[in-house]
Each structure stands twice: as C-alpha cells, then as structure tokens.
Amino acid sequence: MSSVEERIAQVVFNADGLAPVIVQQWDTHEVLMLAWVDAEALRRTLTSGRATYWSRSRQEYWRKGDTSGNIQVVREARLDCDGDAILLEVAQTGPACHTGTRTCFDTTDLEATVGAGES
C-alpha cells in the first residue's frame, strides 16, 4: 500500500486547496452530509480513523463529534475517477447534521420529475 502522502497527492484539490467529501453511512449507504477537506484534514482523517474536515465558514479544522458527541468513525475512503471528490464511508453516532437531524439531505424536496429510461 502506498504511503499516506502518496494517497493524498492523488487528490485534485480546487483553487482554494479543498476537495468535496460525500459522507455516507457505511452499512446502509445513506448519504449523510457534504463536507470539505484540505490535504491536512484528509491526512488527519486517513491516519486517525475519525472524520476531520475544513470549515469554510469558520476557517478551521473540525473533527466531527468533538463538541456534539456525534462522531464519525471512518470505515473506508475512496477517490472518484477524476480524483476531485472523496467518498467517505463512516459509522455515524447520532445525527450527522448540525441541525440535529440524521442527514443533511432530509429538508427541501426539489420535486424533480422522475425520468423513465429511453427506448
């Protein structure tokens, strides 16, 4: 297996030095949240077994659950085919969303038209 630094070097960070992380419950595949990492946050996540992100609003690192108790224990981390997005599978304790809900994606339904396969 390659070193942590070699794995981080594979990530294509945006102009702000960040990459999006889609966070998913490892066993149910429920999408919990979207967060951002820079190289250091990703390093901390990959080496500690706990999800660490970069807060764009607060401009600081935050390890999920340190203040709320709603921790995310890392089960797997994967890079997408373009190298510019990360899928983080976690074991979530308690709510994932800062609003206190299980997932950040349980609010507004955009009422998309359900498509059918083309014939």
Side-chain angles (χ1 to χ4, degrees):
M1 177 176 286
S2 61
S3 75
V4 171
E5 296 309 314
E6 289 171 323
R7 287 177 269 153
I8 293 170
Q10 295 177 36
V11 179
V12 179
F13 294 99
N14 68 17
D16 295 323
L18 301 173
V21 180
I22 301 161
V23 184
Q24 185 179 51
Q25 175 64 31
W26 76 276
D27 53 354
T28 65
H29 304 295
E30 176 183 27
V31 177
L32 300 173
M33 57 185 270
L34 171 75
W36 295 87
V37 293
D38 65 1
E40 179 58 26
L42 182 56
R43 184 177 297 105
R44 293 178 189 189
T45 297
L46 296 176
T47 60
S48 72
R50 290 271 309 276
T52 301
Y53 306 110
W54 175 255
S55 171
R56 295 178 302 162
S57 60
R58 295 187 314 267
Q59 294 289 295
E60 65 183 18
Y61 295 104
W62 56 284
R63 190 168 73 160
K64 185 70 174 167
D66 278 355
T67 57
S68 67
N70 301 321
I71 67 170
Q72 292 176 343
V73 176
V74 175
R75 296 295 300 251
E76 188 170 0
R78 293 190 167 273
L79 196 55
D80 80 338
C81 60
D82 295 322
D84 61 358
I86 298 163
L87 175 63
L88 187 63
E89 293 191 353
V90 301
Q92 175 70 47
T93 299
C97 189
H98 71 280
T99 64
T101 59
R102 171 79 180 154
T103 171
C104 294
F105 294 98
D106 64 354
T107 57
T108 305
D109 182 349
L110 297 177
E111 300 179 26
T113 300
V114 177
E118 291 194 32
S119 11

